[in-house]
Amino acid sequence: MFEYAPAPESREIVDIKPSYGLFIGGEWVDSQGDTHHKTINPASEEVLAEVAWATEADVDRAVQAARTAFTTWSALPGSERAKYIFRIARIIQERSRELAILETLDNGKPIRESRDVDLPLVAAHFFYYAGWADKLGYAGFGPDPRPLGVAGQVIPWNFPLLMLAWKIAPALACGNTVVLKPAETTPLTALAFADICRQADLPPGVVNIVTGAGETGAALVNHPGVDKVAFTGSTEVGRMIARSVAGTGKKLSLELGGKAANIVFEDAALDQAVEGIVNGIFFNQGHVCCAGSRLLVQESVADEVLDALKRRLSTLRLGDPMDKNTDIGAINSAAQLAKIRELAEAGVNEGAERWSPACPIPERGFWFPPTVFTGVAQSHRIAREEIFGPVLSVLTFRTPAEAVEKANNTPYGLSAGIWTEKGSRILWMADRLRAGVVWANTFNRFDPTSPFGGYKESGYGREGGRHGLEAYLAV
Amino acid sequence: MYRAAQAGDRRHLPKKLWTHQPLVGLETVRPVGDAGEVSTTTAPFAEVASSNAALRAFLHGLPGVDRVGADARAAMLGTRSIKTTAKAQAIDLAISMVDLTTLEGADTPGKVRAMCAKAVHPDPTDPSVPRVAAVCVYPDLVATAVRALDGSGVKVASVATAFPSGRSSLDVKVTDTALAVAAGAAEIDMVIDRGAFLSGDYLKVFEEIVAVKAACGAGGAQGEHSAHLKVILETGELATYDNVRRASWLAMLAGADFIKTSTGKVQPAATLPVTLIMLEAVRDFRLRTGRVVGVKPAGGIRTTKDAIKNLVLVNETVGADWLTPDLFRLGASTLLNDLLMQRQKMATGRYAGPDYFTLD
């Protein structure tokens, strides 16, 4: 009866070049290899640009540039480094519309999210760490903590620019220089960030961007000139990196997978809990390492919550990520879609009940409807493995102790959510949950001042907040 | 004497007001407008109002509302981008839902007649503009409005019950209501006793609504005409979202046909989160009783953007069933001209100056 007319964001403001080289030593340079990769829009499979895949020699060049720059950059007073970082933060704000559109085109996430979540957080992260640059002596790591040197950073495709910010902002604030490799499917905002570094007159070589796939990443983390490795991505790759870095003296921080429990008690504010469940697993198509992919709901309200959840999911709008009213965008790649499909099939085969709202799926591009599995047991694959897609597994519990036991019974420990109006229960639960972040009456809420990181197979080291400085200081 | 009336002692009231008193929970109501009769099944709640303790237990047993979450949800829905055909549709829908309101001490018959003319033909140059849903006036001007709107299809709503504070005896409130109904008001916008609500005397609030509802049903010179009851919660004075949810349920249990946010005399008035919570309440009430109750945000809705945000809220919270003037109204005085201005802009591509829209 009240159909929203299409409200597409215009892409005119974005200038995508047909091909991109590597950003090394403050210049755009060609790769020494001849491998190129086409990055596509996952919502239409349209080719957006061609990017170089950096070779070992390219990576070496980038690390050398970073090493050269480190001498002067680390010698700058913190207040001078802060000026550059504040300038970057302001340029990001000024160009946020352009960057949001670029992110949505390359990643497939809804423009509403890149505009209202990703970009404000990216700018906030640079502002926050710019503020630390001249106060490192007061951060609790000694009177004059020193930077590590060259940081090799490898980031994933789910929040391309935000993950770049999480990596680069603290590294620069602490006086390190960086070589960053964006994900192979989402290089464009990192390349736009290279342009922002030039616009901010950042000294050449302080930030270097090398594009490529797994081999490029391996070349970077294995390079002997790298003093610090920071990786966000899958636990499988994180394990490989930990193995290769072991014994080298490189400092390592890993932010890996998750299988978070979102725990809803019978005394929760149920309407807001339902919103929190939706935000927990369907935000960013579920491509969130800390996604609330396991819903633990108290049995006494399970039917009520599930009915309300299904009603709410029926109002989600899946489709063109560039439409300002889209809630669920495209899956980032064919490979990821195949993985989600495989695990969803496994859920059905193991006997869980699958439900999705009626929602038309566009013909081109990679799509997966919001999906809820009920009747899930702890032993099912969909309750244990990270799906990294819009798939929710619903389990029930009877008592707070059982909720804690089930929530912690996972190899991961990145995040958890508690929904109750009872303050004492929040504290009791938070004490017992083995997860790096415990959200109370909210979910997937990020802030640059708050440390983020995991227990167990979710990795180690913290990003964000004062704690996030430690990963980039010689302490 | 005063205490007896306060306590809702029905024997104390004029007998004719109680002749149509329905049994709470077993009534048959007709939604405002032309929808058919809806049989109600509030029987599960028949015992809820048996005592203040029972009522309190029920209202405090409703799930809480998390303020941060409710605000975030309303803000997110506020980002919906309603353009082109959807905007045109929304503007006409909003015009047809307006309760054009004047509630000033300075109101005169002349002022009310002028407003009534505007209500029937909001834009004299464009007959395709729909008429508004109703005009809303003080009880003494109901007769004037009824004459001015005769046969137009625009309803006359009257505030009553010692509006806006509600600080008077039940006798006065019931009489106030009966007079407005007798003068021809099709809808009564009553206020709840916020003092009683905040002091925990839910039964008093409940019984007042029941009594006023009865007065709505018993009015008219021939006793044949009955008015629909909108219950104003004055959410700005209830302050917490938990209270908004409880007051919504209290009003619906007592027989409200509509729940309304505000008098317009208290700030904040109709905020998006408050309207969201009231929409959730009518949604849940229908699930549990089958009875459909309308919602009217009023006060502070001044622009087309505000109006469209409200429609989006309805669309995505309770669904299209409520997108009708029978179940959703916008109480406003200055909103209409902005809607007309945006409507003309959609048609012509240009904004006309303010003097091209009538001030009434």
Side-chain angles (χ1 to χ4, degrees):
Chain A
M1 183 173 170
F2 183 27
E3 289 296 328
Y4 304 160
E9 176 62 273
S10 160
R11 57 187 282 182
E12 270 173 32
I13 191 175
V14 173
D15 176 27
I16 304 177
K17 296 193 195 100
S19 75
Y20 288 88
L22 310 169
F23 184 69
I24 295 175
E27 303 287 335
W28 291 106
V29 301
D30 289 331
S31 166
Q32 292 177 10
D34 50 9
T35 312
H36 292 270
H37 173 74
K38 290 180 170 61
T39 185
I40 61 168
N41 177 347
S44 64
E45 299 175 56
E46 155 211 8
V47 173
L48 294 169
E50 207 178 66
V51 294
W53 278 21
T55 62
E56 220 166 297
D58 294 324
V59 170
D60 182 56
R61 210 167 139 199
V63 174
Q64 297 307 334
R67 174 61 57 196
T68 308
F70 176 69
T71 316
T72 44
W73 179 251
S74 61
L76 282 180
S79 54
E80 288 302 309
R81 289 200 305 274
K83 283 184 192 169
Y84 288 104
I85 307 170
F86 275 125
R87 200 180 293 160
I88 289 171
R90 285 194 301 271
I91 295 172
I92 288 169
Q93 280 188 323
E94 281 159 18
R95 293 176 63 174
S96 66
R97 180 154 170 249
E98 171 198 349
L99 292 167
I101 292 167
L102 196 55
E103 195 79 305
T104 286
L105 287 173
D106 204 17
N107 171 278
K109 66 174 66 196
I111 186 72
R112 175 167 68 74
E113 289 178 5
S114 50
R115 178 194 68 198
D116 295 346
V117 181
D118 292 50
L119 263 297
L121 279 171
V122 169
H125 226 83
F126 278 100
F127 276 117
Y128 175 76
Y129 278 111
W132 268 118
D134 61 350
K135 303 173 192 71
L136 296 173
Y138 306 94
F141 304 113
D144 186 23
R146 303 310 305 159
L148 293 162
V150 176
Q153 306 176 319
V154 179
I155 57 170
W157 46 261
N158 57 342
F159 295 94
L161 195 58
L162 183 58
M163 290 302 106
L164 175 148
W166 281 27
K167 296 280 180 287
I168 291 185
L172 297 194
C174 292
N176 304 276
T177 55
V178 306
V179 179
L180 176 127
K181 186 196 88 67
E184 61 199 83
T185 59
T186 56
L188 293 185
T189 44
L191 295 167
F193 180 79
D195 186 46
I196 288 172
C197 291
R198 281 166 60 121
Q199 204 183 336
D201 281 329
L202 192 71
V206 172
V207 169
N208 304 275
I209 311 274
V210 291
T211 45
E215 296 85 54
T216 309
L220 180 57
V221 301
N222 292 328
H223 194 288
V226 164
D227 303 295
K228 153 81 189 180
V229 172
F231 172 75
T232 296
S234 71
T235 295
E236 186 191 347
V237 176
R239 231 183 233 120
M240 280 162 50
I241 292 176
R243 207 174 286 131
S244 69
V245 165
T248 62
K250 292 176 190 170
K251 195 162 176 171
L252 177 63
S253 51
L254 297 171
E255 202 266 89
L256 310 174
K259 192 73 189 175
N262 203 359
I263 306 163
V264 178
F265 286 96
E266 61 187 0
D267 56 3
L270 291 182
D271 283 309
Q272 285 72 49
V274 167
E275 289 306 316
I277 296 165
V278 172
N279 192 38
I281 184 63
F282 300 114
F283 170 64
N284 203 34
Q285 296 73 248
H287 300 331
V288 185
C289 46
C290 53
S293 50
R294 284 185 299 153
L295 170 63
L296 294 180
V297 57
Q298 197 156 12
E299 224 169 300
S300 53
V301 288
D303 289 346
E304 194 181 336
V305 168
L306 279 175
D307 287 349
L309 178 65
K310 288 177 178 176
R311 182 181 63 213
R312 173 70 177 86
L313 294 185
S314 304
T315 69
L316 285 177
R317 307 170 62 86
L318 180 143
D320 179 8
M322 288 288 276
D323 191 299
K324 293 171 196 164
N325 294 326
T326 291
D327 297 319
I328 307 270
I331 301 301
N332 181 251
S333 64
Q336 186 57 30
L337 181 59
K339 186 187 157 199
I340 297 169
R341 282 185 176 148
E342 187 219 318
L343 277 160
E345 287 305 314
V348 174
N349 293 337
E350 285 175 318
E353 195 182 327
R354 177 180 183 161
W355 181 90
S356 287
C359 83
I361 302 287
E363 280 175 25
R364 309 260 345 233
F366 316 125
W367 306 91
F368 198 84
T371 299
V372 175
F373 277 101
T374 50
V376 178
Q378 282 286 86
S379 55
H380 289 166
R381 276 183 75 193
I382 52 170
R384 306 205 65 77
E385 296 180 31
E386 183 177 41
I387 299 173
F388 223 65
V391 182
L392 177 69
S393 302
V394 183
L395 299 95
T396 59
F397 67 92
R398 295 159 296 176
T399 63
E402 187 183 0
V404 169
E405 191 179 270
K406 282 186 166 168
N408 286 341
N409 182 219
T410 164
Y412 297 108
L414 195 52
S415 69
I418 308 167
W419 294 85
T420 170
E421 289 272 278
K422 201 177 175 86
S424 59
R425 178 167 294 145
I426 293 172
L427 299 175
W428 189 90
M429 292 289 294
D431 270 351
R432 285 159 181 79
L433 288 169
R434 307 265 305 153
V437 177
V438 179
W439 281 294
N441 293 329
T442 187
F443 209 96
N444 273 345
R445 201 157 166 97
F446 305 98
D447 191 287
T449 64
S450 175
F452 184 93
Y455 279 60
K456 301 188 276 186
E457 286 193 20
S458 291
Y460 42 79
R462 292 291 179 265
E463 293 182 292
R466 185 186 64 81
H467 308 66
L469 295 168
E470 189 182 354
Y472 291 95
L473 291 171
V475 290
Chain B
M1 177 77 176
Y2 175 74
R3 292 285 309 164
Q6 288 260 315
D9 183 343
R10 290 167 188 181
R11 288 164 304 171
H12 182 74
L13 294 171
K15 192 166 182 203
K16 74 165 195 178
L17 294 181
W18 289 104
T19 47
H20 297 282
Q21 169 60 33
L23 282 172
V24 175
L26 297 171
E27 63 200 292
T28 296
V29 297
R30 193 197 299 269
V32 180
D34 302 326
E37 286 215 343
V38 178
S39 171
T40 67
T41 49
T42 45
F45 296 119
E47 293 303 308
V48 161
S50 59
S51 70
N52 196 48
L55 201 47
R56 182 188 166 82
F58 175 81
L59 295 175
H60 286 253
L62 293 167
V65 184
D66 184 78
R67 176 173 284 269
V68 175
D71 286 347
R73 173 68 177 151
M76 183 262 131
L77 287 174
T79 70
R80 291 292 194 218
S81 180
I82 305 301
K83 301 289 183 209
T84 61
T85 51
K87 185 172 179 183
Q89 188 195 358
I91 288 173
D92 277 8
L93 193 55
I95 292 172
S96 73
M97 289 171 165
V98 165
D99 276 6
L100 199 57
T101 303
T102 184
L103 295 169
E104 303 297 334
D107 286 346
T108 57
K111 158 83 183 172
V112 169
R113 278 192 293 269
M115 193 178 76
C116 290
K118 170 95 159 193
V120 180
H121 299 293
D123 184 346
T125 65
D126 185 351
S128 71
V129 177
R131 60 175 189 246
V132 306
V135 299
C136 183
V137 295
Y138 271 117
D140 60 325
L141 290 163
V142 167
T144 306
V146 167
R147 272 194 302 278
L149 292 170
D150 186 33
S152 70
V154 176
K155 296 186 174 69
V156 177
S158 172
V159 297
T161 71
F163 180 94
S165 69
R167 301 221 79 96
S168 192
S169 69
L170 181 56
D171 280 354
V172 167
K173 293 179 186 180
V174 167
T175 308
D176 197 17
T177 306
L179 287 173
V181 175
E187 302 174 358
I188 294 296
D189 289 24
M190 73 168 286
V191 292
I192 65 164
D193 183 338
R194 283 87 76 189
F197 184 92
L198 291 171
S199 67
D201 194 353
Y202 300 128
L203 193 59
K204 182 181 176 199
V205 181
F206 181 90
E207 289 183 338
E208 280 197 1
I209 298 169
V210 169
V212 172
K213 169 93 176 167
C216 289
Q222 285 79 42
E224 61 197 16
H225 143 128
S226 81
H228 288 282
L229 181 63
K230 305 199 198 97
V231 178
I232 302 172
L233 311 180
E234 196 63 301
T235 54
E237 290 184 348
L238 301 183
T240 70
Y241 292 171
D242 288 325
N243 277 346
V244 173
R245 171 166 288 175
R246 289 173 192 145
S248 298
W249 274 84
L250 185 58
M252 294 188 293
L253 289 167
D257 299 306
F258 255 78
I259 49 177
K260 173 174 168 183
T261 59
S262 325
T263 60
K265 307 291 186 192
V266 168
Q267 289 300 322
T271 65
L272 284 178
V274 157
T275 306
L276 171 70
I277 289 156
M278 290 167 62
L279 286 165
E280 288 167 354
V282 299
R283 177 197 71 198
D284 295 346
F285 191 74
R286 179 172 72 168
L287 266 179
R288 297 190 45 189
T289 68
R291 191 160 84 83
V292 184
V293 177
V295 176
K296 176 178 171 185
I301 304 168
R302 295 194 180 87
T303 64
T304 300
K305 231 176 198 158
D306 293 338
I308 291 178
K309 283 179 185 180
N310 272 281
L311 296 183
V312 166
L313 219 55
V314 174
N315 196 36
E316 300 203 28
T317 308
V318 288
D321 290 359
W322 264 266
L323 281 174
T324 149
D326 291 346
L327 290 170
F328 195 74
R329 295 282 179 85
L330 298 160
S333 47
T334 57
L335 169 65
L336 184 56
N337 270 2
D338 194 60
L339 287 166
L340 295 174
M341 195 184 283
Q342 295 293 338
R343 193 180 192 276
Q344 204 180 78
K345 159 76 165 49
M346 300 280 305
T348 64
R350 294 182 308 277
Y351 281 112
D355 286 343
Y356 291 81
F357 303 93
T358 59
L359 295 172
D360 307 275

